[in-house]
Amino acid sequence: MKVKLVEVGPRDGFQNVKTFIPTEVKLRMIEGLVQAGFKKIQITSFVNQKAIPQMKDAAVVAGAVLEQYEGVDFFALVPNFYGAKAAVEAGLMEIGPVISLSESHNKANVKRTVEESLEEMKKIRHTFPDIRMTQDIACVFGCPFEGEMEIEKLLELVGRLKTIGIDAFTLCDTVGLAYPTLIEAVFRAVRSEFPGVEFNAHIHDTRNMGILNSYIALQNGADSVQTAIGGLGGCPFAPGASGNTSSEDLVYMLNHCGYDTGIDFEILMNTARFARENIAGNYSGHQINITPNPCIVTQE
């Protein structure tokens, strides 16, 4: 059975790295991911450079990969209209705007209320009608400020966003509070309420349940799951948000369980080694360790 994995390392994996990663290193990482077989990659985010200096080369990265590769869907996270405008001007045809299910986290993350963010989504949709908008919904499975969120609140928000004209949704476990039965309940609920709509999963590995939760999401109707090379990543505006689910770990498991991921594991491992050699030493929070066994990538 085929499964779709979306690599978000070049954005979510890099945004917490304090020292600026040279643009050529970022492009080498993306090249490795393309060679490994990823057909959809989140390459950067168009955000305020003062808030996240790591992304100051977003337009350069986007321009370079769009010129070099065909047959791969590249997209970027955008927090607001100005980010969307910059992404479109850089040539991207898909953006990932972000809104939180939690009022507290939305204010911390994008400095807006949820209602203000909804108005921003309307403005983006009206101004750029031909751009694909895959909406990130943060804190679906729990918020560091407000705790576990109600599924009914999620269904209401998805309904409003769908009315605006959002094309697809990514349900995000922003701080790794999800657990298998909650993943199952959420995906069953959105599938029942919105048949035919694309729903993807973005699962963090805070409590070492990233692989299990990602698998449960796939089993309960997720159209894709997002992972990050080396398990790097985490939301800088959500206390306790550690790394994403490791691309290598999930690919290894799925490939050996009979799933067709389309990902070459050895090339992916070589890219992970490149990450350790060129990025991990500067990473604030987690140190990637590639063990002598080439099948294991862990975090400490």
Side-chain angles (χ1 to χ4, degrees):
M1 183 173 71
K2 288 189 175 182
V3 295
K4 183 177 181 179
L5 304 184
V6 177
E7 173 63 50
V8 299
R11 191 280 299 180
D12 200 5
F14 293 172
Q15 67 184 9
N16 276 10
V17 180
K18 301 305 181 183
T19 303
F20 182 73
I21 302 168
T23 304
E24 57 268 25
V25 172
K26 295 176 182 176
L27 294 176
R28 284 275 305 276
M29 286 284 297
I30 294 169
E31 179 184 21
L33 295 168
V34 171
Q35 291 178 349
F38 282 97
K39 296 302 182 184
K40 188 165 187 176
I41 304 172
Q42 189 177 57
I43 53 172
T44 189
S45 60
F46 288 82
V47 295
N48 187 321
Q49 296 178 14
K50 293 181 180 179
I52 305 182
Q54 188 61 251
M55 300 301 166
K56 64 184 180 181
D57 60 352
V60 176
V61 169
V65 299
L66 290 172
E67 181 179 349
Q68 186 169 359
Y69 305 108
E70 295 182 357
V72 181
D73 294 327
F74 297 110
F75 70 114
L77 180 143
V78 301
N80 51 38
F81 175 81
Y82 298 103
K85 183 174 183 292
V88 172
E89 290 174 347
L92 289 170
M93 294 301 295
E94 179 175 352
I95 57 174
V98 60
I99 192 171
S100 182
L101 191 58
S102 158
E103 190 75 43
S104 302
H105 179 260
N106 207 67
K107 290 176 181 177
N109 194 37
V110 297
K111 313 305 181 188
R112 286 174 170 79
T113 65
V114 170
E115 287 297 325
E116 288 170 339
S117 285
L118 284 166
E119 290 300 315
E120 200 83 353
M121 298 310 117
K122 290 179 185 178
K123 184 178 180 181
I124 295 171
R125 180 77 288 169
H126 176 75
T127 307
F128 307 110
D130 298 327
I131 295 299
R132 178 175 172 82
M133 293 176 66
T134 300
Q135 182 78 55
D136 277 12
I137 303 181
C139 294
V140 167
F141 305 96
C143 169
F145 310 111
E146 299 181 16
E148 193 162 308
M149 309 303 290
E150 296 179 357
I151 293 178
E152 291 74 17
K153 187 175 181 180
L154 171 64
L155 298 178
E156 178 186 0
L157 181 60
V158 170
R160 296 183 68 182
L161 289 162
K162 189 170 178 294
T163 299
I164 290 170
I166 297 299
D167 297 291
F169 299 88
T170 300
L171 307 183
C172 302
D173 182 25
T174 307
V175 289
L177 295 175
Y179 47 90
T181 54
L182 180 58
I183 295 280
E184 181 180 38
V186 166
F187 274 92
R188 286 189 175 183
V190 295
R191 279 281 167 237
S192 176
E193 188 76 13
F194 304 102
V197 175
E198 180 182 321
F199 287 99
N200 310 294
H202 178 104
I203 309 296
H204 281 205
D205 198 34
T206 308
R207 290 166 176 79
N208 299 314
M209 289 192 287
I211 293 178
L212 175 58
N213 285 337
S214 296
Y215 181 77
I216 295 297
L218 289 170
Q219 291 291 301
N220 285 276
D223 290 285
S224 74
V225 292
Q226 298 185 349
T227 59
I229 188 81
L232 289 171
C235 177
F237 305 109
S242 59
N244 291 284
T245 301
S246 163
S247 301
E248 308 83 72
D249 288 350
L250 188 60
V251 167
Y252 178 81
M253 183 194 77
L254 292 174
N255 283 352
H256 282 78
C257 288
Y259 289 87
D260 179 7
T261 64
I263 307 299
D264 186 305
F265 183 73
E266 291 304 320
I267 295 177
L268 184 60
M269 284 301 302
N270 288 335
T271 307
R273 293 187 182 96
F274 179 81
R276 186 182 76 169
E277 294 167 1
N278 292 273
I279 297 171
N282 293 323
Y283 182 68
S284 176
H286 297 280
Q287 176 68 42
I288 301 178
N289 287 315
I290 310 296
T291 72
N293 181 345
C295 297
I296 300 174
V297 178
T298 61
Q299 297 174 355
E300 287 184 351

mmCIF file of all heavy atoms in Angstrom, residues 36 263-271 273 294-295:
data_model
loop_
_atom_site.group_PDB
_atom_site.id
_atom_site.type_symbol
_atom_site.label_atom_id
_atom_site.label_comp_id
_atom_site.label_asym_id
_atom_site.label_seq_id
_atom_site.Cartn_x
_atom_site.Cartn_y
_atom_site.Cartn_z
ATOM 1 N N ALA A 36 16.344 11.322 -2.429
ATOM 2 C CA ALA A 36 15.794 10.199 -1.655
ATOM 3 C C ALA A 36 14.399 9.809 -2.120
ATOM 4 O O ALA A 36 13.953 8.693 -1.844
ATOM 5 C CB ALA A 36 15.769 10.551 -0.172
ATOM 6 N N ILE A 263 10.550 6.161 -0.838
ATOM 7 C CA ILE A 263 11.764 6.796 -0.310
ATOM 8 C C ILE A 263 12.905 5.788 -0.267
ATOM 9 O O ILE A 263 12.750 4.678 0.258
ATOM 10 C CB ILE A 263 11.528 7.373 1.107
ATOM 11 C CG1 ILE A 263 10.312 8.302 1.125
ATOM 12 C CG2 ILE A 263 12.779 8.103 1.596
ATOM 13 C CD1 ILE A 263 10.405 9.501 0.225
ATOM 14 N N ASP A 264 14.054 6.177 -0.802
ATOM 15 C CA ASP A 264 15.260 5.353 -0.735
ATOM 16 C C ASP A 264 15.923 5.575 0.625
ATOM 17 O O ASP A 264 16.435 6.659 0.911
ATOM 18 C CB ASP A 264 16.211 5.749 -1.867
ATOM 19 C CG ASP A 264 17.434 4.841 -1.958
ATOM 20 O OD1 ASP A 264 18.144 4.691 -0.936
ATOM 21 O OD2 ASP A 264 17.689 4.297 -3.037
ATOM 22 N N PHE A 265 15.927 4.537 1.452
ATOM 23 C CA PHE A 265 16.387 4.684 2.830
ATOM 24 C C PHE A 265 17.869 5.031 2.912
ATOM 25 O O PHE A 265 18.280 5.840 3.755
ATOM 26 C CB PHE A 265 16.097 3.401 3.618
ATOM 27 C CG PHE A 265 16.470 3.492 5.069
ATOM 28 C CD1 PHE A 265 15.710 4.244 5.952
ATOM 29 C CD2 PHE A 265 17.598 2.848 5.552
ATOM 30 C CE1 PHE A 265 16.059 4.339 7.295
ATOM 31 C CE2 PHE A 265 17.947 2.926 6.891
ATOM 32 C CZ PHE A 265 17.178 3.676 7.759
ATOM 33 N N GLU A 266 18.688 4.438 2.069
ATOM 34 C CA GLU A 266 20.129 4.690 2.144
ATOM 35 C C GLU A 266 20.466 6.129 1.772
ATOM 36 O O GLU A 266 21.306 6.772 2.413
ATOM 37 C CB GLU A 266 20.884 3.711 1.234
ATOM 38 C CG GLU A 266 20.853 2.269 1.723
ATOM 39 C CD GLU A 266 21.382 2.122 3.142
ATOM 40 O OE1 GLU A 266 22.384 2.793 3.479
ATOM 41 O OE2 GLU A 266 20.785 1.354 3.919
ATOM 42 N N ILE A 267 19.805 6.650 0.754
ATOM 43 C CA ILE A 267 20.038 8.052 0.390
ATOM 44 C C ILE A 267 19.549 8.969 1.505
ATOM 45 O O ILE A 267 20.196 9.975 1.845
ATOM 46 C CB ILE A 267 19.331 8.398 -0.935
ATOM 47 C CG1 ILE A 267 19.934 7.594 -2.086
ATOM 48 C CG2 ILE A 267 19.439 9.901 -1.233
ATOM 49 C CD1 ILE A 267 19.256 7.809 -3.429
ATOM 50 N N LEU A 268 18.433 8.611 2.108
ATOM 51 C CA LEU A 268 17.912 9.395 3.219
ATOM 52 C C LEU A 268 18.889 9.397 4.390
ATOM 53 O O LEU A 268 19.118 10.432 5.030
ATOM 54 C CB LEU A 268 16.561 8.833 3.663
ATOM 55 C CG LEU A 268 15.827 9.607 4.763
ATOM 56 C CD1 LEU A 268 15.533 11.039 4.329
ATOM 57 C CD2 LEU A 268 14.532 8.885 5.134
ATOM 58 N N MET A 269 19.507 8.235 4.669
ATOM 59 C CA MET A 269 20.481 8.161 5.753
ATOM 60 C C MET A 269 21.716 9.012 5.463
ATOM 61 O O MET A 269 22.269 9.664 6.354
ATOM 62 C CB MET A 269 20.895 6.711 5.987
ATOM 63 C CG MET A 269 19.859 5.886 6.736
ATOM 64 S SD MET A 269 19.451 6.553 8.361
ATOM 65 C CE MET A 269 21.043 6.567 9.143
ATOM 66 N N ASN A 270 22.138 9.029 4.203
ATOM 67 C CA ASN A 270 23.270 9.879 3.840
ATOM 68 C C ASN A 270 22.939 11.355 4.066
ATOM 69 O O ASN A 270 23.793 12.133 4.505
ATOM 70 C CB ASN A 270 23.654 9.643 2.379
ATOM 71 C CG ASN A 270 24.325 8.301 2.159
ATOM 72 O OD1 ASN A 270 24.914 7.736 3.079
ATOM 73 N ND2 ASN A 270 24.244 7.784 0.948
ATOM 74 N N THR A 271 21.707 11.719 3.793
ATOM 75 C CA THR A 271 21.280 13.100 4.023
ATOM 76 C C THR A 271 21.238 13.402 5.514
ATOM 77 O O THR A 271 21.593 14.506 5.957
ATOM 78 C CB THR A 271 19.894 13.343 3.383
ATOM 79 O OG1 THR A 271 19.932 12.947 2.008
ATOM 80 C CG2 THR A 271 19.500 14.809 3.462
ATOM 81 N N ARG A 273 23.172 12.048 7.757
ATOM 82 C CA ARG A 273 24.575 12.208 8.175
ATOM 83 C C ARG A 273 25.084 13.597 7.825
ATOM 84 O O ARG A 273 25.814 14.225 8.600
ATOM 85 C CB ARG A 273 25.437 11.134 7.523
ATOM 86 C CG ARG A 273 25.135 9.721 8.005
ATOM 87 C CD ARG A 273 26.134 8.715 7.455
ATOM 88 N NE ARG A 273 25.792 7.376 7.903
ATOM 89 C CZ ARG A 273 25.082 6.503 7.200
ATOM 90 N NH1 ARG A 273 24.630 6.837 6.006
ATOM 91 N NH2 ARG A 273 24.814 5.307 7.680
ATOM 92 N N PRO A 294 23.347 1.686 10.620
ATOM 93 C CA PRO A 294 22.820 2.729 9.731
ATOM 94 C C PRO A 294 21.306 2.793 9.718
ATOM 95 O O PRO A 294 20.743 3.616 9.023
ATOM 96 C CB PRO A 294 23.362 2.300 8.354
ATOM 97 C CG PRO A 294 23.504 0.826 8.452
ATOM 98 C CD PRO A 294 23.943 0.574 9.870
ATOM 99 N N CYS A 295 20.636 1.940 10.478
ATOM 100 C CA CYS A 295 19.176 1.936 10.475
ATOM 101 C C CYS A 295 18.585 2.756 11.610
ATOM 102 O O CYS A 295 17.374 2.785 11.781
ATOM 103 C CB CYS A 295 18.650 0.501 10.571
ATOM 104 S SG CYS A 295 19.107 -0.529 9.164
#
